[in-house]
Amino acid sequence: MHPLQCVLQVQRSLGWGPLASVSWLTLRMCRAHSSLSSTMCPSPERQEDGARKDFSSRLAAGPTFQHFLKSASAPQEKLSSEVEDPPPYLTMDELLGRQRKVYLETYGCQMNVNDTEIAWSILQKSGYLRTSNLQEADVILLVTCSIREKAEQTIWNRLHQLKALKTRRPRSRVPLRIGILGCMAERLKEEILNREKMVDILAGPDAYRDLPRLLAVAESGQQAANVLLSLDETYADVMPVQTSASATSAFVSIMRGCDNMCSYCIVPFTRGRERSRPIASILEEVKKLSEQVLQLIHERDNICKQIHLPAQSGSSRVLEAMRRGYSREAYVELVHHIRESIPGVSLSSDFIAGFCGETEEDHVQTVSLLREVQYNMGFLFAYSMRQKTRAYHRLKDDVPEEVKLRRLEELITIFREEATKANQTSVGCTQLVLVEGLSKRSATDLCGRNDGNLKVIFPDAEMEDVNNPGLRVRAQPGDYVLVKITSASSQTLRGHVLCRTTLRDSSAYC
């Protein structure tokens, strides 16, 4: 995803592209008729100034974001008469889950987490039950990632493990069905069906509505697949069902697909063209989430001061080869603008080590960008070429594997050093923390997130409740607490808890 994507979208919607084209055509006409009087063809400078004034006036009089929010109406529930008829070879009864138990495993990015919640919402309405016990599952669905070769290899390995489970299935039980969902299903459809005969169903990112039918077909012993990509599927009318009932936060997907066509990226080929959800459906989902998860959202909206700003490389030459659409200089300028606009913002990023043609000097520039920006969080990977991408057809994967891994290790080391420095600025500060639950590494500690979406670890101890003076309480998932930060690493902050508070009351302390 481009860091400048939102800006570019606004430019297109406001008509900058057509305006620029008109100016260019006019300029060519002027040059072609240079013998004519200058009064008949204004200078490029005057044209540009006039165009800028015209655009400014249109922009000032145009609609704002609030205009779109006000005009958005709540999504309408589907009428029972609108439910599609089943295929002629299946009955409505055959499409029902009949309380068979589904086990879901999610791999990859946050979009896959959202896809899992969408898939489960659809299956739940068809009569399937959810289980967290692999051994008692009747259906096992893997929501897969294809962004790197390593991600796909993880799925191949998992399928070999599940093959033994399927083979040992007692005949007294219904046959175990295994499905591959998401990007890997889209990219390797024939190979999965032919290589792994034990895979029963394939469903691409735009085919989750078809899961009940695919499973019904699989019941007859046939393999079933739907990997058709859509130009308009956003699942706007499907309310995702959170897979973790105790979660204290949620992600809301506002768009699907991608049009950017970065030369290394498989996403446009596995998730299709870019399309946005209707604003009304987004607002409706946020409203429902606020009623289910976030107990204090009614008091005051809380938006984390954290922005994910993928860089991928610190070299303008490599960025051009990647077709990222921006230079290093433009990226750094955007970082400065963000930090001026949002003091204390937390930045995260993505980086690729060893892209096609990357030289040692290119690598050094990426190292210097890491030091200059000082990211709070980072996701760094060695490049692996993906079929169908522009890089696969036009570029050469010419950086040796050992060089990729060495550069990756250097980037990870530099990132951790700089992230530690950035996070240590919080030591001595009191921060508002949303409690998520027990720490994974200690049963005596709690874990939460601060306003920059950073992990904060603190002892599970009694504390004062600011709304009930004299009352001693222990923090629960979903509570807001004030934590005095005492130490920091590249990944987490540590501190001691002061009191339980609310969004409204916390401003007096932070």
Side-chain angles (χ1 to χ4, degrees):
M1 197 69 67
H2 282 265
L4 301 178
Q5 183 176 358
C6 291
V7 177
L8 294 174
Q9 286 293 104
V10 172
Q11 290 176 350
R12 288 198 291 267
S13 66
L14 292 174
W16 289 10
L19 184 63
S21 301
V22 170
S23 301
W24 179 76
L25 288 171
T26 306
L27 179 58
R28 287 199 60 184
M29 290 173 62
C30 290
R31 287 177 177 169
H33 298 82
S34 56
S35 60
L36 298 177
S37 168
S38 60
T39 58
M40 297 182 66
C41 190
S43 69
E45 291 80 6
R46 290 179 60 188
Q47 293 175 33
E48 184 178 349
D49 183 59
R52 188 182 298 111
K53 289 180 179 178
D54 177 58
F55 169 74
S56 298
S57 62
R58 288 191 291 118
L59 180 63
T64 65
F65 184 59
Q66 291 299 323
H67 169 85
F68 291 101
L69 291 180
K70 290 179 180 178
S71 61
S73 58
Q76 299 296 314
E77 293 290 335
K78 281 192 173 183
L79 300 176
S80 57
S81 60
E82 294 176 340
V83 177
E84 295 182 3
D85 292 331
Y89 50 86
L90 292 173
T91 66
M92 279 297 253
D93 184 63
E94 288 173 320
L95 290 175
L96 298 179
R98 295 188 290 277
Q99 296 192 320
R100 280 171 291 182
K101 295 180 179 179
V102 179
Y103 180 89
L104 289 154
E105 281 188 1
T106 308
Y107 298 82
C109 68
Q110 185 57 44
M111 281 300 300
N112 280 5
V113 175
N114 183 253
D115 278 7
T116 302
E117 296 172 351
I118 288 172
W120 173 232
S121 177
I122 292 168
L123 290 173
Q124 187 182 50
K125 290 181 179 178
S126 292
Y128 287 87
L129 301 178
R130 181 78 186 279
T131 180
S132 58
N133 185 341
L134 184 66
Q135 301 299 323
E136 70 176 21
D138 302 310
V139 178
I140 299 175
L141 300 177
L142 308 183
V143 184
T144 63
C145 175
S146 229
I147 197 72
R148 281 171 293 278
E149 184 178 355
K150 183 179 179 181
E152 292 182 348
Q153 188 57 50
T154 300
I155 300 301
W156 290 121
N157 295 341
R158 184 57 168 153
L159 286 175
H160 291 156
Q161 297 169 2
L162 296 177
K163 185 175 184 179
L165 184 66
K166 191 170 186 178
T167 303
R168 296 195 306 265
R169 184 80 163 189
R171 292 191 175 183
S172 59
R173 297 180 60 184
V174 296
L176 176 63
R177 304 303 179 190
I178 296 177
I180 300 294
L181 277 54
C183 294
M184 191 170 168
E186 190 70 43
R187 194 180 94 79
L188 298 174
K189 33 194 173 282
E190 292 90 355
E191 183 175 351
I192 294 173
L193 291 175
N194 295 329
R195 174 173 158 183
E196 301 295 341
K197 299 295 185 180
M198 41 82 76
V199 172
D200 300 288
I201 73 164
L202 286 181
D206 292 344
Y208 299 141
R209 294 183 193 272
D210 203 25
L211 283 173
R213 183 190 69 85
L214 295 175
L215 286 168
V217 171
E219 284 302 304
S220 66
Q222 303 179 66
Q223 289 181 309
N226 184 346
V227 291
L228 294 177
L229 290 175
S230 169
L231 291 175
D232 54 15
E233 178 62 270
T234 64
Y235 300 107
D237 61 319
V238 178
M239 180 63 186
V241 177
Q242 283 198 286
T243 54
S244 174
S246 61
T248 58
S249 60
F251 287 84
V252 176
S253 173
I254 64 172
M255 61 169 283
R256 297 182 70 85
C258 186
D259 286 349
N260 290 316
M261 302 298 289
C262 297
S263 61
Y264 57 83
C265 188
I266 193 69
V267 168
F269 304 99
T270 59
R271 286 190 167 272
R273 300 301 299 269
E274 183 179 299
R275 63 269 190 200
S276 296
R277 286 176 58 185
I279 291 177
S281 74
I282 298 171
L283 294 176
E284 182 69 11
E285 183 175 340
V286 171
K287 179 176 179 292
K288 290 183 178 179
L289 284 171
S290 71
E291 294 168 351
Q292 297 169 6
V293 181
L294 303 181
Q295 300 174 4
L296 301 179
I297 198 71
H298 300 291
E299 298 178 16
R300 177 176 168 184
D301 290 338
N302 182 30
I303 302 174
C304 281
K305 293 181 180 178
Q306 191 262 329
I307 296 178
H308 186 63
L309 204 64
Q312 308 300 2
S313 174
S315 164
S316 292
R317 192 189 69 80
V318 174
L319 289 171
E320 183 176 3
M322 289 178 167
R323 303 184 77 190
R324 291 293 288 169
Y326 56 87
S327 65
R328 175 197 175 107
E329 292 73 24
Y331 182 89
V332 171
E333 183 179 352
L334 180 59
V335 169
H336 291 323
H337 176 67
I338 289 172
R339 284 184 164 155
E340 288 173 1
S341 304
I342 313 173
V345 68
S346 173
L347 295 180
S348 60
S349 191
D350 297 335
F351 283 92
I352 296 173
F355 183 68
C356 305
E358 182 187 73
T359 65
E360 201 63 30
E361 174 57 29
D362 295 325
H363 171 64
V364 169
Q365 291 185 46
T366 301
V367 169
S368 70
L369 183 65
L370 283 168
R371 291 203 183 279
E372 181 176 356
V373 177
Q374 283 193 335
Y375 298 95
N376 300 90
M377 291 173 281
F379 305 90
L380 300 88
F381 307 94
Y383 174 65
S384 64
M385 184 168 274
R386 305 281 77 195
Q387 292 181 354
K388 296 186 179 180
T389 64
R390 181 183 176 87
Y392 179 81
H393 293 289
R394 305 288 182 88
L395 303 177
K396 185 178 180 181
D397 188 5
D398 54 359
V399 179
E401 192 65 22
E402 63 271 17
V403 175
K404 289 180 183 178
L405 295 178
R406 190 258 301 166
R407 290 177 182 174
L408 175 62
E409 287 301 315
E410 290 180 10
L411 294 182
I412 292 174
T413 299
I414 299 302
F415 159 73
R416 286 177 176 169
E417 290 176 0
E418 299 304 321
T420 299
K421 293 177 186 176
N423 293 342
Q424 282 177 341
T425 61
S426 297
V427 175
C429 298
T430 298
Q431 296 191 345
L432 179 67
V433 175
L434 174 62
V435 181
E436 293 185 324
L438 286 174
S439 169
K440 293 181 180 179
R441 297 190 178 184
S442 172
T444 61
D445 288 335
L446 292 175
C447 177
R449 300 269 176 177
N450 68 2
D451 200 22
N453 202 31
L454 291 174
K455 280 188 178 181
V456 182
I457 308 296
F458 54 95
D460 182 8
E462 285 191 345
M463 70 195 80
E464 181 184 352
D465 186 333
V466 295
N467 285 331
N468 298 280
L471 177 65
R472 304 291 292 179
V473 297
R474 298 179 88 94
Q476 301 296 321
D479 284 349
Y480 285 102
V481 296
L482 293 177
V483 177
K484 182 73 172 289
I485 305 301
T486 56
S487 65
S489 68
S490 62
Q491 311 223 4
T492 59
L493 304 177
R494 285 186 171 272
H496 60 264
V497 68
L498 301 178
C499 62
R500 185 168 71 179
T501 185
T502 65
L503 287 171
R504 179 181 299 155
D505 297 327
S506 64
S507 58
Y509 299 89
C510 298

